[in-house]
Structure formats: structure tokens, C-alpha cells
Amino acid sequence: MFEATPVIQATLKGCAANVGPQIGVELEVGEIDTETSSTLPEGVLAVLPLSVEIGEDSLGSITLSAPIEEIVVLARRMLGDDEPDKERDLSSEDLEACGEVLNLMAGAADQSFREEFGEELRLEPRDWWCTNDPGEDAFAEGEHLSGVTTISVPGGPGVHLTLRFPIGIVDRAAAAQTAIVHGCVLLAGLGDGLRSEIVPILEAAKINVETVDRDAEDAAVQYARADVIVLSSDREGGLDLLRSLRKSDATWKTPSVFCLSDPTHESVVRAVECGASHLLKVPISEPDLLRILASTQS
């Protein structure tokens, strides 16, 4: 799996750095913790969804959230309120200012993701919502990775801020950047079962994927134009094809990923001797596949 901690830390620290100048103070950032959980966030939260996009394609959505009674303290400071920490009902001006604070934080998230994954990627903020009046909005279910911290005015109350995104989205972002460089991943002579595992993962990551049968008349042409070739031992002749591709003038530099079911020391050594650039265990793990494809760039 792509290491997500740096982009989490950069985003949460950037949120404080973007908001601080607008309220005239340098916000303090507490310890940043990360956790993986399927539990949905609880409480009355202000939630800003951000779509992770490359070109016209969306790789998924992440959320920034904070308790509404805490983030409104920052919003009131932005408005120049004389008593920003005083508890009272939220006004329409308070809510509008909360949206402005969240949008400043969205800018920090966009910047940190661009720096990590390249300028082609962007985070597009959507309309923010509150959990006590969600309308048709809701937190996505399933396992998510979260970064949690507290940002605070020196000597003042803290705002508990959470960055939450689906497991694997940073791997898809990294792989999508790889796809821009590599262009095409070719599945060469894979069995139906393995192909049905791999294709949805690559398509979800917006990676151009093609398939070719070993006996196809235009197989040599497809091998030559591929940027990465995925082969397997699940069908007879996999090692022979791997060896021939490594010996060919047209493909000897092309990265190859060789899939192995229940790999043993002997099978791994044979695959490497036949020219495999990378090895991948079957059944396929989405993070492992995307990580390996990302590593082929180097």
C-alpha cells in the first residue's frame, strides 16, 4: 500500500496554515493520529466532501469534518465576532463562515495531494453538509483510513479535525499518475478467473488495460506497444512467454509482472530467471497490484 501518512500530515497541517492568517493568529496543530476503521464518525459534524479527480475521471471521495460547535469558533473569528467562544445558536452568517473555513481547508488538501501525486490530480470540494441535517448526504460506509488532529487558537479551544478516505484511494491516485506515464497495461494470456480479478481494479484506477491471447495474430504488435505486461503461471506456457519477451528486442526493456499462485522458493527463482521484473501473489490484492504498477515507473 502507498504510504498515506505524509499526505495526511501535510493536509491537516495545511488546514491550520490556511485558516490561521484569515483569523489573525497562528493556529497550533496537535499530535496527528491515523487509524483504520469501518465505524462511521459520530456527533454533530460539519462535513466537506472532496472528489479526487484526474481529468474528467473521479477516483473516489474523501471528507474533512469537525464538530460544528468547534469549527464555528474559527468561523466567528473570521467574522470579527467580539465573543467567538461564547456558546449560542448558529446564525446564517455563522453557517456561511463555516463554509468559508472548510473551503480554506479544502485548498490545503488539494495542495498536499497535488504535491504528492502530481499536478494532474486535483481535489474538487462539494457542498458541505451537517450530520444533524444531512439531506441526501451521508458518510460512505466500509473500511476507511482516517487522520485525526486538533487545531487550536493559542490559549483557546481546540477543533477536532478528521480527514477520512477509503482504503486504497491513495494507491489509485499513485497508480493513476503511473498510468499517465505508462499508457497501457497489457494482460497477456491470462485465464478468465485471473483476468476478471485484475481488470476491475485497473479500470477503477483509470488505468488503460488491454488483453491479448498468446496465439493472436497481432500479439507481437501488442507486446511491442505495451508499457507494462502482466503474465501468469495459471496457464501452461506462462514461463516460456515470459522468457521470450525478455529475449525479444522489442520487449526486453518492458516491465513485466508475473502472477504466481501459492509461490514457492523454486517458482519465484524460476520466474526471476525467466526475466520477471516483479512478482504478484494470486489471489490479487488491490493495494499490492497498484503498488507494483506504481513501482514500474522507476
Side-chain angles (χ1 to χ4, degrees):
M1 180 182 294
F2 190 92
E3 177 53 57
T5 301
V7 74
I8 289 175
Q9 293 180 336
T11 297
L12 295 176
K13 290 178 180 178
C15 289
N18 277 20
V19 175
Q22 302 302 316
I23 61 176
V25 297
E26 183 176 349
L27 294 173
E28 297 175 343
V29 182
E31 184 176 349
I32 298 174
D33 297 318
T34 59
E35 61 179 9
T36 301
S37 174
S38 299
T39 303
L40 298 179
E42 298 179 345
V44 181
L45 307 174
V47 184
L48 178 67
L50 300 107
S51 177
V52 182
E53 300 181 354
I54 289 183
E56 297 181 356
D57 298 321
S58 175
L59 305 181
S61 181
I62 69 176
T63 58
L64 275 167
S65 62
I68 188 70
E69 72 273 10
E70 294 178 0
I71 200 168
V72 74
V73 172
L74 301 180
R76 287 171 177 155
R77 278 181 163 79
M78 185 179 293
L79 292 172
D81 193 297
D82 293 333
E83 298 180 294
D85 301 339
K86 181 180 178 180
E87 292 187 16
R88 56 189 185 275
D89 292 339
L90 300 177
S91 67
S92 58
E93 290 80 6
D94 290 337
L95 294 174
E96 184 176 348
C98 285
E100 292 181 16
V101 170
L102 289 170
N103 281 326
L104 289 170
M105 293 181 176
D110 181 63
Q111 180 180 353
S112 62
F113 271 69
R114 283 177 184 267
E115 290 176 351
E116 187 69 38
F117 301 111
E119 289 299 317
E120 293 85 358
L121 182 139
R122 66 184 186 280
L123 265 59
E124 289 290 339
R126 303 309 184 195
D127 292 337
W128 75 280
W129 54 281
C130 194
T131 54
N132 64 349
D133 186 20
E136 297 181 356
D137 297 299
F139 282 111
E141 297 186 354
E143 193 171 44
H144 280 64
L145 181 63
S146 296
V148 181
T149 193
T150 301
I151 61 175
S152 57
V153 175
V159 177
H160 294 83
L161 187 63
T162 299
L163 174 68
R164 180 177 184 263
F165 48 84
I167 296 296
I169 195 170
V170 289
D171 297 277
R172 291 195 290 276
Q177 291 304 105
T178 300
I180 291 172
V181 176
H182 288 303
C184 173
V185 174
L186 180 67
L187 310 185
L190 302 189
D192 292 341
L194 183 55
R195 187 168 58 249
S196 66
E197 285 187 65
I198 293 178
V199 169
I201 295 174
L202 299 186
E203 289 180 343
K206 311 303 180 185
I207 296 174
N208 180 24
V209 55
E210 297 181 3
T211 63
V212 62
D213 188 84
R214 296 171 190 171
D215 300 324
E217 292 183 2
D218 64 342
V221 175
Q222 289 190 262
Y223 296 147
R225 73 185 186 192
D227 297 286
V228 180
I229 301 176
V230 180
L231 311 94
S232 174
S233 62
D234 69 342
R235 295 178 68 184
E236 186 177 354
L239 286 172
D240 292 337
L241 177 58
L242 176 63
R243 186 184 296 108
S244 67
L245 291 172
R246 187 58 65 207
K247 291 182 176 180
S248 170
D249 288 338
T251 56
W252 72 276
K253 290 185 177 181
T254 305
S256 59
V257 179
F258 194 72
C259 302
L260 289 166
S261 301
D262 300 320
T264 63
H265 179 268
E266 180 181 358
S267 65
V268 167
V269 170
R270 287 187 64 195
V272 172
E273 289 177 342
C274 288
S277 307
H278 303 272
L279 301 175
L280 183 63
K281 186 179 183 300
V282 178
I284 298 298
S285 160
E286 176 182 355
D288 286 344
L289 174 59
L290 296 179
R291 174 182 53 79
I292 286 175
L293 290 179
S295 70
T296 63
Q297 181 175 341
S298 60

